[in-house]
Amino acid sequence: MFGYVTFNKPELKIKDFEKYQQYYCGLCQCLKSAHGRRSQLTLNNDLTFVGILLSGLYEPEETVRKIRCPLHPVHVRTVRSNTCLDYASDMTIILTYYKLDDDVIDENSHKSRLFKKILNKEFQKVEKKYPQKVQTIMAQLDRIHELEKANSTDLDLVAGCFGHVMAEILTYQDDIFKDDLYQMGYYLGKFIYLIDAYEDIEDDIRKNTYNPLKKQFENENFHDYCYSILEMMISQSSFYFEKLPIIENQDILKNIIYSGIWTKFELIKEKRLEEKK
């Protein structure tokens, strides 16, 4: 379920895109420092968003430095580091570990099983650091598996489980921002779960695997139906986002929330309509 919370590059100012890259590369370096080189393979846009959001809200002291990246040896990279990105790197390990576990259960993926073993030590380290978060996330993901086995068609219930996962991720501290961050994360998580189901619907039908949207896929207005639900989820998420007193990184965050997250939906929709032609 990674890759949906991203930016819309054509609508992003050059300075904001460069700043986004500094956070993205900064998260990569945080993963390397805290969890080793192999953990850099878990880097994704979704947790970069979490790091940028929390950095904008809490405004921690940041270090900005230049590095040489082996993947981009020609250019010097500017990277940012702060405590919020450190937190995002830990959450990246948790979500990736459980994503790999899900791949092993659903697809018996040998590649995922191997990578899960590689990450196991780092996952245990994070689990000791955030025992309550890991316990909550694990309980919600287990509930998703139960609902999938029962072939549940209750979209609100099954998507809500992943909503609670993202809510737990966004809840950085027990403070005055906790409730708004939780609600923002809850509806964002529901959005992520449902757009993932929207993307996978045809493969799941072909493989005869679980997807809560199977019944709706038979209808002619399937795309409009999904769009309306996704729009409701992100509208609720953005409502709580707007309540947060964020000044720093605001343009980047608004680009992602109001535009970037829809780029994947439009690509999926266009591809599906093109294939029908």
Side-chain angles (χ1 to χ4, degrees):
M1 293 183 184
F2 293 128
Y4 297 111
V5 189
T6 187
F7 56 88
N8 184 354
K9 188 176 180 180
E11 298 297 326
L12 200 59
K13 295 177 183 177
I14 294 175
K15 66 179 180 65
D16 289 328
F17 174 70
E18 290 175 349
K19 192 174 185 181
Y20 181 93
Q21 286 296 124
Q22 292 170 10
Y23 279 111
Y24 185 80
C25 294
L27 179 56
C28 184
Q29 291 302 304
C30 286
L31 284 163
K32 176 185 173 183
S33 299
H35 304 292
R37 288 183 178 275
R38 289 176 176 175
S39 72
Q40 290 174 285
L41 295 171
T42 68
L43 179 66
N44 61 78
N45 288 312
D46 307 68
L47 272 298
T48 300
F49 167 77
V50 173
I52 296 174
L53 173 72
L54 296 178
S55 296
L57 179 60
Y58 289 97
E59 299 184 356
E61 183 178 341
E62 288 189 342
T63 300
V64 182
R65 59 194 175 91
K66 305 283 188 180
I67 65 163
R68 286 281 184 183
C69 175
L71 293 177
H72 309 277
V74 177
H75 303 287
V76 174
R77 292 275 171 168
T78 302
V79 300
R80 292 175 181 264
S81 58
N82 61 47
T83 52
C84 292
L85 286 174
D86 290 337
Y87 170 79
S89 73
D90 289 339
M91 297 302 105
T92 302
I93 296 297
I94 294 174
L95 284 188
T96 303
Y97 186 85
Y98 282 124
K99 174 65 171 66
L100 293 169
D101 189 54
D102 194 52
D103 290 343
V104 171
I105 294 172
D106 292 344
E107 304 171 14
N108 194 28
S109 171
H110 297 296
K111 182 179 178 182
S112 296
R113 184 178 286 105
L114 176 61
F115 194 26
K116 182 185 170 186
K117 287 182 179 179
I118 292 172
L119 282 184
N120 186 58
K121 181 179 178 181
E122 298 309 314
F123 172 77
Q124 290 181 359
K125 186 194 300 184
V126 177
E127 186 177 23
K128 289 179 181 178
K129 193 174 179 181
Y130 302 100
Q132 185 59 49
K133 282 188 180 294
V134 172
Q135 185 178 359
T136 301
I137 291 169
M138 182 173 63
Q140 292 299 328
L141 294 176
D142 285 345
R143 180 60 175 150
I144 290 176
H145 289 142
E146 291 173 3
L147 292 168
E148 289 177 348
K149 286 181 180 178
N151 204 30
S152 174
T153 56
D154 190 330
L155 295 180
D156 189 58
L157 183 61
V158 68
C161 292
F162 197 73
H164 288 300
V165 170
M166 285 305 298
E168 195 66 36
I169 296 294
L170 256 61
T171 307
Y172 179 47
Q173 296 179 2
D174 188 6
D175 56 18
I176 59 172
F177 305 127
K178 178 182 178 180
D179 291 341
D180 289 334
L181 282 171
Y182 192 95
Q183 291 297 324
M184 180 187 174
Y186 176 72
Y187 288 104
L188 180 62
K190 292 178 77 173
F191 176 92
I192 292 170
Y193 184 90
L194 292 170
I195 196 172
D196 184 67
Y198 172 77
E199 180 175 21
D200 292 344
I201 182 67
E202 286 159 325
D203 284 343
D204 288 331
I205 290 174
R206 179 170 50 83
K207 296 175 182 177
N208 194 31
T209 51
Y210 175 80
N211 191 305
L213 296 173
K214 280 185 178 179
K215 186 176 291 186
Q216 287 78 14
F217 188 67
E218 300 170 3
N219 300 327
E220 290 185 5
N221 67 339
F222 176 70
H223 300 291
D224 294 335
Y225 171 82
C226 291
Y227 180 83
S228 65
I229 294 177
L230 292 169
E231 188 177 40
M232 282 191 289
M233 296 303 103
I234 210 63
S235 294
Q236 288 294 315
S237 184
S238 61
F239 171 79
Y240 290 101
F241 164 74
E242 293 290 353
K243 292 177 70 176
L244 298 170
I246 298 176
I247 298 175
E248 193 70 21
N249 305 328
Q250 190 177 106
D251 289 344
I252 299 173
L253 294 167
K254 286 187 173 182
N255 174 278
I256 294 170
I257 295 168
Y258 295 117
S259 180
I261 58 168
W262 292 109
T263 56
K264 193 66 176 289
F265 178 86
E266 291 301 325
L267 286 173
I268 299 165
K269 180 180 177 181
E270 289 175 15
K271 180 183 177 182
R272 195 164 282 152
L273 292 175
E274 192 66 29
E275 288 174 351
K276 282 188 176 181
K277 291 180 182 179

